[in-house]
Amino acid sequence: MGSAVAERLEGRAVDKVAQRRSELAAAALKTLSELGYARTSLRDIAANSEFSHGVLHYYFRDKVDLITHCVREYKAQCVTRYDQVVATASSASELAAGFLDKLTETLVQESALHRLWYDLRGQSMFEESFRADVAEIDLSLERMIWRVLSRYAELAGVPLDLTPPTAYAVFDGLFLQALLRQLAGDPDAARDLRSAVAAVIGRLVPAA
Amino acid sequence: MGSAVAERLEGRAVDKVAQRRSELAAAALKTLSELGYARTSLRDIAANSEFSHGVLHYYFRDKVDLITHCVREYKAQCVTRYDQVVATASSASELAAGFLDKLTETLVQESALHRLWYDLRGQSMFEESFRADVAEIDLSLERMIWRVLSRYAELAGVPLDLTPPTAYAVFDGLFLQALLRQLAGDPDAARDLRSAVAAVIGRLVPAA
DNA sequence: GACTTTCCTTGACACTCGTCCAGAACGGTG
DNA sequence: CACCGTTCTGGACGAGTGTCAAGGAAAGTC
């Protein structure tokens, strides 16, 4: 006993493997967000890590497995973005302000990562193998937006007769447009996103 | 005189060239909408035409030139989609109904083409060379939506205090979500798009 | 220190890609 | 028919791809 296999089974060394997988996935995420799905090769990813390209097939079955892993890591870091704001805000306007701050902040600072998400979601329209993972993440993003919005309505003391997919689609559309402008170098992208989202919230939540 | 070069200059035979270019662009559009940008090769495109792969470099400088040409053809067929409805509708509700009909119709019947548009727009976030063309088309789509919405407000006799980019982003977000669901095989995608858009119009246009 | 397992590198493979080109096929003019 | 410019073919090229396997390096065990 005491073999590495046994260690894996009892979950000690397996963490080491998981850590390296995570390390490589981070390099992949970085590369993908810079180059996009269509132009990223496994050698590019390895070049952004401290290993050679062969190691990727040691930790991942194939390219799809790697990218799937990436996308899950992305989700984890993404889906809780506004939870802090939702938990601490004590008024509707405070929640709105915190939400808008985070929204515009991530638009500017993580624009590369966001474009990767939209890229991969687009790929899922063509490639069956991504569809399930993308749909799952999309759903969790929808729920994230819904938590913000329903809490906002609650704080404002008004009912919210909107369906979660609709609310998500609206904000996603606004964010995507702002991202396109941001990446095109438009310096007003964040500012206009802020005012557009504020305006739409004012319309969608009755009498707020 | 009478040479082909002269004919080109006086714009007769040039139409023949333009026609073939258009023919090849149509094959490219078909292929791209089926496979997506990342997985479409020039040989795939040629296979969907009646020519061999070599001819593409006779009529197009390179792949980017071809795809750019494609995208322009797409625009032409796309941007006037609701103009008929706008021109003939004599009441706000009639306009809304006609718009929703066209919207859901194109969602179902041209879903492949729409996903290509979103794919290419996504590529433009990474690839500089697409950016200008994509931005131009996006703007013309924005204007298309704006024509519908401003005419709607006019017929309803209410002011429309919304910015065109915001209105476009909202509807685009809703349509994109519906497209994702449609392509994933959701049979309710069109129905839900219809009701979501109707609901949002009701919110964005005051007292309509 | 020998031995074993784990980890990683290197180079090769079969393949696809965009691009280019020599020349065949075509079509109209003399 | 001979000629010539235009149009198209099919193969070649070099570069780049995902995948894999043989073996070296490192780490751990006795």
Side-chain angles (χ1 to χ4, degrees), chain A residues 98-137:
Chain A
F99 174 61
L100 287 173
D101 285 346
K102 283 278 178 199
L103 192 70
T104 51
E105 179 190 304
T106 194
L107 173 76
V108 175
Q109 288 175 9
E110 302 172 303
S111 51
L113 217 58
H114 287 296
R115 73 177 166 185
L116 173 60
W117 160 246
Y118 288 112
D119 188 12
L120 293 177
R121 193 173 69 170
Q123 295 310 313
S124 82
M125 292 194 291
F126 296 95
E127 200 153 339
E128 173 77 36
S129 51
F130 287 167
R131 210 163 282 175
D133 285 289
V134 163
E136 186 199 321
I137 294 180

Side-chain angles (χ1 to χ4, degrees), chain B residues 90-185:
Chain B
S90 57
S91 73
S93 62
E94 186 186 336
L95 175 55
F99 174 60
L100 288 172
D101 285 345
K102 283 277 179 200
L103 193 69
T104 53
E105 180 190 303
T106 193
L107 174 76
V108 175
Q109 287 175 11
E110 302 172 303
S111 51
L113 218 58
H114 288 296
R115 72 178 167 185
L116 172 61
W117 160 246
Y118 289 111
D119 188 12
L120 292 177
R121 193 174 69 171
Q123 296 309 313
S124 82
M125 292 193 293
F126 295 95
E127 201 152 339
E128 173 77 36
S129 51
F130 287 166
R131 210 163 282 175
D133 285 289
V134 162
E136 185 198 321
I137 294 180
D138 216 37
L139 187 63
S140 67
L141 292 172
E142 176 187 310
R143 284 199 267 254
M144 174 183 77
I145 291 296
W146 189 249
R147 287 196 296 277
V148 175
L149 218 57
S150 58
R151 176 63 178 154
Y152 177 83
E154 188 185 7
L155 285 170
V158 296
L160 185 57
D161 55 345
L162 252 179
T163 173
T166 300
Y168 171 57
V170 166
F171 286 108
D172 194 55
L174 289 165
F175 189 80
L176 175 50
Q177 182 194 69
L179 182 63
L180 281 160
R181 289 176 52 187
Q182 170 75 21
L183 290 168

Side-chain angles (χ1 to χ4, degrees), chain A residues 111-171:
Chain A
S111 51
L113 217 58
H114 287 296
R115 73 177 166 185
L116 173 60
W117 160 246
Y118 288 112
D119 188 12
L120 293 177
R121 193 173 69 170
Q123 295 310 313
S124 82
M125 292 194 291
F126 296 95
E127 200 153 339
E128 173 77 36
S129 51
F130 287 167
R131 210 163 282 175
D133 285 289
V134 163
E136 186 199 321
I137 294 180
D138 217 36
L139 187 63
S140 67
L141 292 173
E142 177 187 309
R143 284 199 268 253
M144 174 183 78
I145 292 296
W146 188 248
R147 287 196 296 276
V148 175
L149 219 57
S150 58
R151 177 63 178 154
Y152 178 83
E154 188 185 8
L155 286 171
V158 296
L160 185 57
D161 56 346
L162 252 180
T163 171
T166 300
Y168 172 55
V170 166
F171 286 107

Side-chain angles (χ1 to χ4, degrees), chain A residues 166-179:
Chain A
T166 300
Y168 172 55
V170 166
F171 286 107
D172 194 55
L174 289 166
F175 188 80
L176 175 51
Q177 183 194 67
L179 182 62

Side-chain angles (χ1 to χ4, degrees), chain A residues 25-98:
Chain A
L29 216 45
K30 181 179 190 306
T31 313
L32 283 163
S33 71
E34 283 166 359
L35 301 179
Y37 172 79
R39 281 163 296 284
T40 298
S41 73
L42 294 180
R43 286 169 177 81
D44 292 328
I45 293 171
N48 266 337
S49 77
E50 48 179 349
F51 304 101
S52 72
H53 72 273
V55 84
L56 290 170
H57 276 84
Y58 186 80
Y59 288 99
F60 299 96
R61 200 182 326 111
D62 54 18
K63 197 183 182 185
V64 170
D65 186 29
L66 168 60
I67 292 185
T68 298
H69 204 83
C70 281
V71 163
R72 291 188 202 277
E73 301 236 333
Y74 164 83
K75 171 193 171 177
Q77 105 176 55
C78 193
V79 121
T80 61
R81 177 166 293 129
Y82 308 107
D83 288 0
Q84 181 72 15
V85 175
V86 169
T88 61
S90 57
S91 73
S93 63
E94 186 186 338
L95 176 54

